[in-house]
Amino acid sequence: MVDISCMAEFHVHRLQPKHLNLIRSISEHGQLSLAAQELALTQPAASRMLGEIERYVGSPIFVRTPKGMEPTAVGSALARRAQNVLEEMREAAREVEAIQRGLTGKVRIGAVTGGAVGYVVPAIRALKAEASTVDIHVDVAPSGEMIRDLLSGQYDFVLGRIPSGIDARQFHVDGATMEEVEIVVHRSHPLVNVDRLNISDMAHFPWVMQAPGTPLRQAVENVFIEEGAPIPRNIVNTTSLLVMIAMLASSNAIAPMSREVADLLCRQTPVGDLTTLKLDTPIEVTPYHLITLSGKRLSPIAARLRELLLSRFLSRGR
């Protein structure tokens, strides 16, 4: 005696992507005519294909009702599985395409804080849309550290500045974007409602900012010097954005940040009830660049991320 269940299982395995697509489409639309239209089939062709599926499976897949075509228990199971299988096949196709185009592997980059938020994150989103499995490492650090690690081969490229004393001829440099600084405080800060603040109005408050000698710190100190105001003495030095946020949330501290970071924390995705002060003197940091080691051969995935980042960097840096 023939085992019918084994025969049914064998025939189910003969289902092809076109069959799964038809099952999915009928289940979604509830009408054979709409499914045929979606799949660019004539209705008779779709009807013949449905009959073929039911022969393979050995039982009805859909029943016709006054409301349209409703899946049987077998049809519901197949429709659910079809959706999963088709998505896996699409993901497999994307992965194969990524491998064939070289869009797989690992890429490691460094960036200053504003550049990471304003340019690196959007470029990563675009790359992940093309190759979701790529392994990306991003470090946010002072330019001096990043250039040292770029020279030692730890980075594919960096978004930063070439420190003084370093031979710039070692690098391929693209673009130049001026980093604008905003002053961030908690919304309860005494200066929040004051219009057109002078830098001297802030001197006696506690500050939290990057260490002496960093470009952003120098830009802030230069404004104090140019305005003839005393440089704040109560300063916590840190490169950690989390420490800055915690200090601002729990005190009357003031923190200078790049405009991209201030936008993120105060306007796009408000964090810790922070806001910016209205300063009458703009603060600008020396430009930063997209820097690659001269002669370095980038992997296809690193080259693609660099291309995506550079297009944004040049268009917004003009």
Side-chain angles (χ1 to χ4, degrees), residues 134-211:
V134 62
D135 191 11
I136 302 175
H137 297 257
V138 182
D139 293 330
V140 177
S143 291
E145 294 179 19
M146 292 191 297
I147 292 298
R148 180 195 64 209
D149 290 341
L150 179 64
L151 287 169
S152 68
Q154 295 188 47
Y155 290 129
D156 291 293
F157 54 86
V158 302
L159 202 58
R161 302 172 178 87
I162 301 174
S164 60
I166 299 293
D167 188 352
R169 293 174 295 180
Q170 302 174 85
F171 309 105
H172 181 78
V173 180
D174 287 293
T177 293
M178 191 75 71
E179 200 168 9
E180 299 178 35
V181 177
E182 291 203 61
I183 304 299
V184 180
V185 297
H186 191 267
R187 289 189 182 276
S188 62
H189 197 281
L191 297 180
V192 164
N193 295 318
V194 180
D195 289 326
R196 299 189 62 82
L197 283 163
N198 189 279
I199 197 73
S200 60
D201 298 326
M202 308 177 193
H204 64 284
F205 285 98
W207 284 65
V208 53
M209 56 181 162
Q210 297 174 5

Side-chain angles (χ1 to χ4, degrees), residues 49-252:
M49 189 184 298
L50 179 58
E52 186 177 42
I53 294 170
E54 292 181 332
R55 285 196 301 275
Y56 286 158
V57 174
S59 67
I61 303 299
F62 295 94
V63 293
R64 288 175 172 80
T65 72
K67 295 181 179 180
M69 298 187 72
E70 295 185 359
T72 63
V74 171
S76 294
L78 284 176
R80 184 177 65 254
R81 298 285 184 175
Q83 186 68 40
N84 294 336
V85 170
L86 291 169
E87 180 54 38
E88 284 293 323
M89 293 180 70
R90 285 191 289 269
E91 183 61 31
R94 287 192 289 267
E95 188 168 347
V96 168
E97 182 186 10
I99 292 171
Q100 291 174 338
R101 295 175 58 196
L103 296 182
T104 187
K106 180 188 295 185
V107 55
R108 184 175 178 186
I109 64 175
V112 294
T113 307
V117 173
Y119 301 104
V120 174
V121 170
I124 288 175
R125 285 202 305 266
L127 182 62
K128 282 290 188 177
E130 298 178 5
S132 61
T133 60
V134 62
D135 191 11
I136 302 175
H137 297 257
V138 182
D139 293 330
V140 177
S143 291
E145 294 179 19
M146 292 191 297
I147 292 298
R148 180 195 64 209
D149 290 341
L150 179 64
L151 287 169
S152 68
Q154 295 188 47
Y155 290 129
D156 291 293
F157 54 86
V158 302
L159 202 58
R161 302 172 178 87
I162 301 174
S164 60
I166 299 293
D167 188 352
R169 293 174 295 180
Q170 302 174 85
F171 309 105
H172 181 78
V173 180
D174 287 293
T177 293
M178 191 75 71
E179 200 168 9
E180 299 178 35
V181 177
E182 291 203 61
I183 304 299
V184 180
V185 297
H186 191 267
R187 289 189 182 276
S188 62
H189 197 281
L191 297 180
V192 164
N193 295 318
V194 180
D195 289 326
R196 299 189 62 82
L197 283 163
N198 189 279
I199 197 73
S200 60
D201 298 326
M202 308 177 193
H204 64 284
F205 285 98
W207 284 65
V208 53
M209 56 181 162
Q210 297 174 5
T214 56
L216 191 147
R217 174 72 169 266
Q218 287 181 324
V220 172
E221 291 178 347
N222 286 341
V223 173
F224 276 98
I225 293 171
E226 290 167 3
E227 297 291 324
I231 295 175
R233 301 185 64 83
N234 183 358
I235 297 176
V236 172
N237 304 284
T238 182
T239 58
S240 170
L241 188 58
L242 286 177
V243 171
M244 289 186 178
I245 293 171
M247 291 287 295
L248 294 174
S250 60
S251 70
N252 282 335

